[in-house]
Structure formats: structure tokens, C-alpha cells
């Protein structure tokens, strides 16, 4: 009975032009030699993907094949069964269809599994077929965390009498709620889930009737769930206890930090609270210690600007400025540069607010304005400690700017960040802070401006076509690049990217090298626009041009570049 089945499969593959006769003959020889099924042999030999094989087999038995990787799964359907039942039968509910529950299964002919699902959900089951790997990924994404979360906050006790101003409960009650086992479990689950989703921030926001929890993933906020309002006091108290904050004070903003284990990763948390009309909003910044080990070559800087940037910070003295808005990856770039400079024979001192990542071999100083330890005061002390390299987390005022420039002129290498929209604007910004133009021209070696653009999801990105006039209008089109394939995000996304169409981020950069001509323009008080025009004439790629280069590489989309770059 086995041979006819193999013959039917092979015939079907030939009829649909999926295999050639020669490929099928080679696979049949391997099948006879090893005893493996023809389908498994085809997958092992790379002639057929597992998904394609499953689709062909589905056609044989008359059941629809679903590629969960590109299917928009309905979370309400997925959570109708628990993960233990789903894993036992390799089945995951993915949608509803005219009152029936659509369930993706590895073996949709398993009547025992179908009966279990029908009894558990109380619904008629419409089975579809999918690959085992895709079903396991969907179970992990939609079932596991949700069921654990539900179980955790169902056990959380209420605090009676908690009002919007949060002053009715005593400190003892709040501390007891914050140390209660279910709330501890719930907070740990939130942090672990956010870390697994590679979120940079967690927002816990109280409303009138519930608590909204959002994660910032790849720079964009996503609402993950809404929890009962009764858990809010215990949730905030637990986070305050973790960060050594005052749990009794709910009228003024507070901040703190702590370290936790999320799975096998150690995560540093910066926690800030803010009083709102419905209670305290809490924001957690997640800092994955392993992510700071990234090298400059992994940041996404193109080879030519990377060489210019690298050459500038390997000089024995001078100033390297990294600019960009909050959340543009400036700190990561600075730490990547410091990791290359961190050697036994040099003394590296940083002044930061806050110290986001602790690096071995580097002296890091945390600013503390409450005791007078400002950037300027710290810099004065640092220069008396014989540094070779100084990193300033952020230039915020004229005094810090002047000291940074003077430090470079007295033989130190200074790395610093500044908030400007592009590289040429950094020159005029330093002038506005009160630094003399001739000092800026002498001390600054290079300026790097950067943004973070979302990467297209490699599993669901789609080819895109644009009008020639539109591409010319945005300065993307060029005659010799007509045949380049451009991609855009899938509007429906897939489970791999959580329906966003994007997964991960890549840096977009412009590097301005201060040469003799630029120095003259700075001394002559040229505008940022004039400096930028001259820099482009001398070969500088702008942020938009760098972003469009990554579009042509299939890394990101035109829409994303235009979203992050003016």
C-alpha cells in the first residue's frame, strides 16, 4: 500500500511542475535506499520546502493549507484552548469561520484531537493543515504567555478603597500587595514577555476602569493587553519595591533602577513613575546587557562612512559628536566605539545620566544633580584624573559644551552626544551654546547623525512598485537603478513580526568630517544649511540617501525612511 501512495505524490509533483523527472528519480532512489518517506527525502535533499510539501499533501486529502507565517491569526481564537492541549495535538486555533473554529493542525485527520478540541471549545472545528514548526511558533506566541498572565492576575487580591489619587491605602497595605506572590509572578511575566518581544520600554497606564499595558517594539508602541483596575496598586507597589522607590509617595514623579533575570538574560531596568488623574503611570526602560556588546560593523553603517567615523575616534585627541533625537541609538553607537578604544594602556572615563550599561575596564560616573554632581562639575573632576578618553553622555548646557571642546584642545579624545536633527546643525548648536566658532572648528573632528529605521520582516515583506515621478520627487530614482527590486511592509504582517510588517531596526547615518574647508565655514559663522550643502559636495551622504541605500538593499521600506528622516 505504501508504493502507490508515493507514486501518487510523485505524480502530483510532476503534474504541478514542482519537480522535474530527473529530480523525482533521484529522490525515489534515495527513498528506496534509506527507507524514508518520499516527502521526507525531498525535504532533506532541498528539492522541496516543508511548507510546500505540506501544501501538496493537503491538496491530496482535500484540506486547505495555511501558511501561519503570513496568516493574520485572531488572538481571540488562539486563546480558546490552553497550551498543553495545543502542544499535545500540535494544533492551534487561528480564526473563526461562520461560527466554526478554524484550527491549524499537523494531522487534521486525527479524530481524537478533533473531538478534544470540539469538547473543550464547545464549537464545531474546521481543520486546516500547516507545518509543525509554524504551529509550534504560533502556540508559543499566542497561548503560553496569555494563559500564564490570566492565571497570575486572577490570583491577585484587590485593594479596597483605592481612589484615583491613590491616598486611601496605607504604606503597609501597599507593601503587602507589592510583595504578594501572584503580583510578583505577574510583574515577572510582563518583563519576561517584553524581553522576549525585544521591547525597549514597557508602559503601564491606569485608566478610569482598567490598566493598559503597552510595549515599545522597534520604536513603535503596541497595546498588549488591558488588565483589571484592581491590580494597579499592587502592580505599582511591586515595581517601586524593585527599584527602591518610596511606595508611600504617589504625588510626585520618582525614578529608580534594578536588575532582573528574564529567562537566561540579565536585564537592567530603569523605572520612572508619573502621577496622572487615574493613578500613577509607570514606564520601564529595558536595557539588555548583552546587546551592548554589538560592534560598529553590526550597526548598519555603510563601509565608507564607517571608515570616516572610525578614523576620527582613533585619533589621539579631538571631539567626535554623535547627534540625533531621543531613542535614535546614540548611546549604542558611543558604546560600540568605546569597546574598540577600551584597552589596558588607556584611561577611559565617562559621565552619564544615567549609566545605561556597565562596561568592564571603563570608569563610569553617574550624574547626581541632587548633590551637585552635574555634567559640568563631573567634567572638572574628570580632567584632574588623568584621562586619555572622555565620554560625555549628553551636552546639555554651555558650560558642558565649553569644557568638552577645551578638553579636546588640551590633548584628550572626547566623545559626546548632542540633540540636533542632522550633522551640520551640531556646529550651529554649539555656537548657540556660547562656544567660540574658532574653538569648534579646531576641536571637532567629525559629527555623526543617526536615526533608527525598522527592518522589513524577512518572512512577509512584499515587492512594491512606485511611479517614476514619485521616486524622482523624493530623490530616490536614478537612471542606472531602474531594475532594482523595492520591498514594502505587508499591511497584515505575520506572527513572526507580530502583525507589524517589520521586525528589528537598522541605523541610518550621515557622517560629516570637519576638513579645512568646513573649518573655514564654521569660523565665518556659516549656517547649517550652507555647511550641509558644502559637505554634500564633498561626498557626504545624507540621512535620507543612506536610508534609500538600505531600501535598495531590501532592508527597509521607502515609507519607513520617510517616517524617520525629514
Amino acid at each position: 500500500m505504501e508504493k502507490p501512495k508515493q507514486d501518487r505524490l510523485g505524480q502530483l509533483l510532476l503534474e504541478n511542475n514542482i519537480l522535474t523527472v530527473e529530480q523525482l528519480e533521484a529522490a525515489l532512489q534515495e527513498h528506496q535506499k534509506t527507507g524514508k518517506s518520499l516527502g521526507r527525502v525531498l525535504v532533506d535533499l532541498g528539492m522541496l520546502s516543508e511548507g510546500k510539501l505540506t501544501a501538496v499533501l493537503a491538496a491530496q486529502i482535500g484540506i486547505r493549507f495555511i501558511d501561519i507565517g503570513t496568516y493574520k491569526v485572531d488572538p481571540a481564537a488562539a486563546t480558546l484552548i490552553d497550551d498543553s492541549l495545543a502542544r499535545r495535538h500540535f494544533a492551534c486555533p487561528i480564526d473563526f469561520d461562520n461560527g466554526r473554529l478554524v484550527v491549524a493542525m499537523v494531522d487534521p485527520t486525527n479524530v481524537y484531537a478533533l473531538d478534544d478540541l470540539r469538547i473543550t471549545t464547545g464549537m464545531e472545528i474546521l481543520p486546516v493543515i500547516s507545518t509543525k514548526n509554524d504551529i509550534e511558533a504560533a502556540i508559543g506566541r499566542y497561548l503560553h504567555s496569555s494563559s500564564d498572565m490570566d492565571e497570575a492576575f486572577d490570583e491577585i487580591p484587590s485593594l479596597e478603597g483605592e481612589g484615583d489619587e491613590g491616598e486611601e491605602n496605607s504604606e503597609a497595605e501597599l507593601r503587602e500587595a507589592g510583595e504578594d506572590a501572584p503580583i510578583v509572578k505577574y510583574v515577572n511575566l510582563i518583563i519576561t514577555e517584553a524581553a522576549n518581544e525585544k521591547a525597549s520600554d514597557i508602559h503601564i497606564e491606569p485608566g478610569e476602569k482598567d490598566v493598559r499595558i503597552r510595549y515599545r517594539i522597534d520604536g513603535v508602541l503596541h497595546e498588549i493587553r488591558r488588565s483589571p483596575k484592581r491590580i494597579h496598586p499592587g502592580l505599582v507597589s511591586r515595581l517601586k519595591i524593585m527599584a527602591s522607590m518610596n511606595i508611600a509617595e504617589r504625588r510626585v514623579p520618582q525614578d529608580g533602577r534594578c536588575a532582573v533575570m528574564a529567562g537566561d538574560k540579565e536585564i537592567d531596568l530603569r523605572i520612572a513613575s508619573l502621577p496622572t488623574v487615574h493613578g500613577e503611570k509607570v514606564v520601564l526602560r529595558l536595557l539588555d546587557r548583552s546587546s551592548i556588546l554589538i560592534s560598529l560593523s553590526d550597526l548598519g553603517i555603510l563601509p565608507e562612512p564607517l571608515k570616516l567615523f572610525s578614523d576620527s575616534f582613533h585619533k589621539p585627541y579631538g571631539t567626535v559628536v554623535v547627534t540625533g533625537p531621543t531613542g535614535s541609538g546614540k548611546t549604542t553607537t558611543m558604546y560600540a566605539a568605546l569597546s574598540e578604544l577600551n584597552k589596558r594602556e588607556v584611561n577611559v572615563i565617562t559621565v552619564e545620566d544615567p549609566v545605561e550599561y556597565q562596561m568592564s575596564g571603563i570608569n563610569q560616573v553617574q550624574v547626581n544633580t541632587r548633590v551637585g554632581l552635574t555634567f559640568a562639575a563631573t567634567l572638572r573632576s574628570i580632567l584632574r584624573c588623568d584621562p586619555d578618553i572622555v565620554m560625555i553622555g549628553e551636552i546639555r548646557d554651555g558650560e558642558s559644551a565649553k569644557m568638552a571642546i577645551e578638553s579636546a584642545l588640551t590633548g584628550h579624545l572626547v566623545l559626546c552626544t548632542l540633540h540636533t536633527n542632522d550633522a551640520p546643525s551640531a556646529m550651529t548648536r554649539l555656537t548657540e551654546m556660547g562656544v567660540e566658532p574658532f574653538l569648534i572648528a579646531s576641536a571637532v573632528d567629525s559629527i555623526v547623525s543617526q536615526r533608527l529605521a525598522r527592518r522589513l520582516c524577512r518572512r512577509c515583506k512584499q515587492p512594491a512598485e512606485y511611479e517614476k515621478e514619485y521616486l524622482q520627487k523624493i530623490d530616490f530614482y536614478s537612471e542606472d537603478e531602474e531594475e532594482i527590486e523595492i520591498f514594502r511592509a505587508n499591511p497584515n504582517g505575520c506572527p513572526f513580526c507580530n502583525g507589524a510588517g517589520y521586525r528589528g531596526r537598522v541605523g541610518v547615518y550621515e557622517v560629516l568630517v570637519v576638513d579645512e574647508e568646513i573649518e573655514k565655514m564654521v569660523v565665518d559663522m556659516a549656517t547649517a544649511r550652507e555647511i550641509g550643502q558644502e559637505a554634500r559636495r564633498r561626498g557626504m551622504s545624507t540621512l535620507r540617501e543612506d536610508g534609500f541605500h538600505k531600501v535598495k538593499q531590501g532592508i527597509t521600506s521607502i515609507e519607513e525612511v520617510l517616517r524617520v528622516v525629514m
Side-chain angles (χ1 to χ4, degrees):
M1 296 296 292
E2 183 66 20
K3 193 172 187 306
K5 181 181 177 183
Q6 304 293 2
D7 289 343
R8 285 198 301 274
L9 175 59
Q11 190 63 35
L12 194 63
L13 294 171
L14 288 175
E15 288 173 0
N16 288 277
N17 297 319
I18 296 171
L19 288 183
T20 64
V21 174
E22 292 77 12
Q23 287 176 316
L24 180 58
E25 287 176 352
L28 285 170
Q29 288 176 5
E30 184 70 15
H31 156 63
Q32 291 167 357
K33 187 189 303 181
T34 62
K36 294 181 181 178
S37 68
L38 178 58
R40 177 47 51 193
V41 169
L42 290 167
V43 172
D44 290 346
L45 292 177
M47 295 180 182
L48 208 61
S49 68
E50 188 176 353
K52 192 69 174 176
L53 173 63
T54 307
V56 172
L57 293 172
Q60 271 192 299
I61 60 177
I63 293 180
R64 188 164 64 129
F65 169 75
I66 293 290
D67 179 3
I68 301 182
T70 57
Y71 192 84
K72 186 69 173 179
V73 176
D74 187 339
T79 52
L80 285 178
I81 66 173
D82 61 44
D83 63 303
S84 60
L85 178 63
R87 293 184 192 282
R88 184 162 69 248
H89 295 308
F90 289 108
C92 180
I94 59 172
D95 211 344
F96 300 99
D97 182 359
N98 295 325
R100 295 178 297 176
L101 183 64
V102 182
V103 181
M105 305 177 69
V106 172
D107 180 9
T109 63
N110 186 338
V111 293
Y112 299 107
L114 292 171
D115 285 343
D116 268 2
L117 292 167
R118 188 179 297 110
I119 292 167
T120 301
T121 62
M123 299 181 69
E124 285 300 313
I125 305 299
L126 175 61
V128 296
I129 193 167
S130 190
T131 66
K132 181 179 177 181
N133 288 341
D134 279 353
I135 289 175
E136 286 181 333
I139 291 170
R141 169 70 184 95
Y142 293 102
L143 276 68
H144 180 70
S145 59
S146 297
S147 58
D148 283 357
M149 289 284 187
D150 292 342
E151 180 185 338
F153 75 61
D154 282 345
E155 298 172 0
I156 297 171
S158 305
L159 278 182
E160 299 297 332
E162 174 67 12
D164 286 345
E165 297 182 4
E167 298 187 7
E168 284 79 354
N169 299 117
S170 69
E171 181 177 351
E173 290 173 322
L174 290 169
R175 185 170 294 279
E176 183 179 352
E179 293 176 346
D180 187 68
I183 199 71
V184 172
K185 179 182 177 183
Y186 188 58
V187 168
N188 290 342
L189 285 169
I190 289 174
I191 295 169
T192 301
E193 182 185 47
N196 290 339
E197 297 286 353
K198 300 189 184 306
S200 60
D201 301 86
I202 303 171
H203 290 243
I204 297 170
E205 303 165 323
E208 186 177 359
K209 297 180 180 178
D210 56 18
V211 179
R212 180 171 66 169
I213 297 176
R214 297 193 290 173
Y215 298 163
R216 187 176 294 279
I217 302 171
D218 296 334
V220 178
L221 279 170
H222 299 267
E223 182 173 327
I224 304 300
R225 65 178 51 82
R226 288 182 181 263
S227 299
K229 183 65 182 283
R230 63 182 174 80
I231 76 167
H232 180 253
L235 190 58
V236 173
S237 297
R238 174 59 188 165
L239 293 169
K240 285 185 173 182
I241 290 169
M242 290 169 61
S244 301
M245 295 156 66
N246 183 355
I247 64 170
E249 180 55 79
R250 282 153 280 167
R251 297 165 299 177
V252 297
Q254 298 185 63
D255 59 82
R257 65 183 303 153
C258 63
V260 298
M261 291 299 296
D264 58 350
K265 290 182 179 180
E266 186 170 11
I267 303 290
D268 284 332
L269 297 177
R270 279 167 40 195
I271 302 176
S273 68
L274 180 71
T276 71
V277 292
H278 295 299
E280 286 181 282
K281 171 186 169 81
V282 182
V283 178
L284 291 75
R285 168 65 59 89
L286 280 68
L287 304 168
D288 182 357
R289 292 185 180 182
S290 63
S291 67
I292 203 58
L293 302 176
I294 191 170
S295 65
L296 279 171
S297 59
D298 295 328
L299 292 176
I301 309 180
L302 298 175
E304 187 175 343
L306 175 59
K307 184 180 185 306
L308 296 173
F309 177 45
S310 184
D311 288 346
S312 65
F313 70 72
H314 277 99
K315 292 180 179 179
Y317 54 85
T319 306
V320 178
V321 184
V322 181
T323 76
T326 301
S328 61
K330 299 188 298 296
T331 302
T332 301
T333 300
M334 296 284 275
Y335 276 114
L338 281 181
S339 66
E340 287 197 17
L341 296 170
N342 186 17
K343 296 180 174 62
R344 289 184 179 182
E345 58 270 22
V346 296
N347 178 22
V348 183
I349 306 179
T350 74
V351 50
E352 305 168 64
D353 183 21
V355 175
E356 293 194 4
Y357 300 96
Q358 296 178 19
M359 297 182 69
S360 176
I362 291 180
N363 306 284
Q364 296 172 271
V365 181
Q366 167 76 54
V367 167
N368 188 345
T369 54
R370 295 174 185 172
V371 296
L373 194 62
T374 61
F375 273 103
T378 307
L379 269 173
R380 279 193 293 270
S381 301
I382 283 176
L383 295 176
R384 291 194 289 269
C385 294
D386 187 31
D388 297 296
I389 300 168
V390 177
M391 194 270 269
I392 306 171
E394 182 183 341
I395 292 181
R396 295 180 177 176
D397 52 48
E399 188 177 4
S400 300
K402 289 175 185 176
M403 294 195 69
I405 295 298
E406 289 169 2
S407 301
L409 293 173
T410 53
H412 303 92
L413 176 63
V414 179
L415 308 178
C416 58
T417 68
L418 193 63
H419 285 291
T420 62
N421 287 327
D422 55 22
S425 300
M427 294 296 200
T428 53
R429 177 75 179 125
L430 288 170
T431 304
E432 290 166 0
M433 285 183 165
V435 183
E436 294 292 341
F438 70 91
L439 293 178
I440 298 171
S442 302
V444 177
D445 282 311
S446 71
I447 303 169
V448 179
S449 182
Q450 68 179 85
R451 300 289 189 280
L452 289 177
R454 291 178 294 172
R455 290 178 181 267
L456 285 168
C457 173
R458 57 183 172 82
R459 292 188 61 173
C460 68
K461 66 181 181 181
Q462 301 174 334
E465 292 185 4
Y466 298 89
E467 294 291 334
K468 179 178 176 180
E469 291 74 17
Y470 173 72
L471 296 179
Q472 288 175 325
K473 181 181 177 182
I474 62 174
D475 297 325
F476 179 90
Y477 176 83
S478 63
E479 291 293 340
D480 59 335
E481 295 176 335
E482 278 190 78
E483 302 305 319
I484 287 179
E485 187 172 17
I486 304 171
F487 294 90
R488 67 170 12 133
N490 183 332
N492 296 320
C494 68
F496 183 69
C497 61
N498 299 329
Y502 297 91
R503 184 178 174 93
R505 289 193 284 181
V506 64
V508 177
Y509 301 87
E510 68 180 16
V511 179
L512 189 157
V513 176
V514 182
D515 57 15
E516 193 171 325
E517 188 60 37
I518 300 293
E519 284 184 16
K520 290 178 183 177
M521 296 184 72
V522 174
V523 171
D524 292 339
M525 303 284 287
T527 64
R529 183 183 180 86
E530 292 168 340
I531 293 172
Q533 289 172 342
E534 179 61 29
R536 286 192 289 276
R537 280 196 292 269
R538 304 177 78 81
M540 182 189 80
S541 293
T542 64
L543 287 166
R544 180 177 287 198
E545 289 167 349
D546 188 74
F548 284 163
H549 188 89
K550 291 175 172 70
V551 171
K552 294 167 187 175
Q553 292 178 319
I555 297 172
T556 188
S557 66
I558 288 178
E559 292 79 11
E560 180 65 10
V561 172
L562 296 179
R563 183 184 73 86
V564 299
V565 179
M566 293 177 61

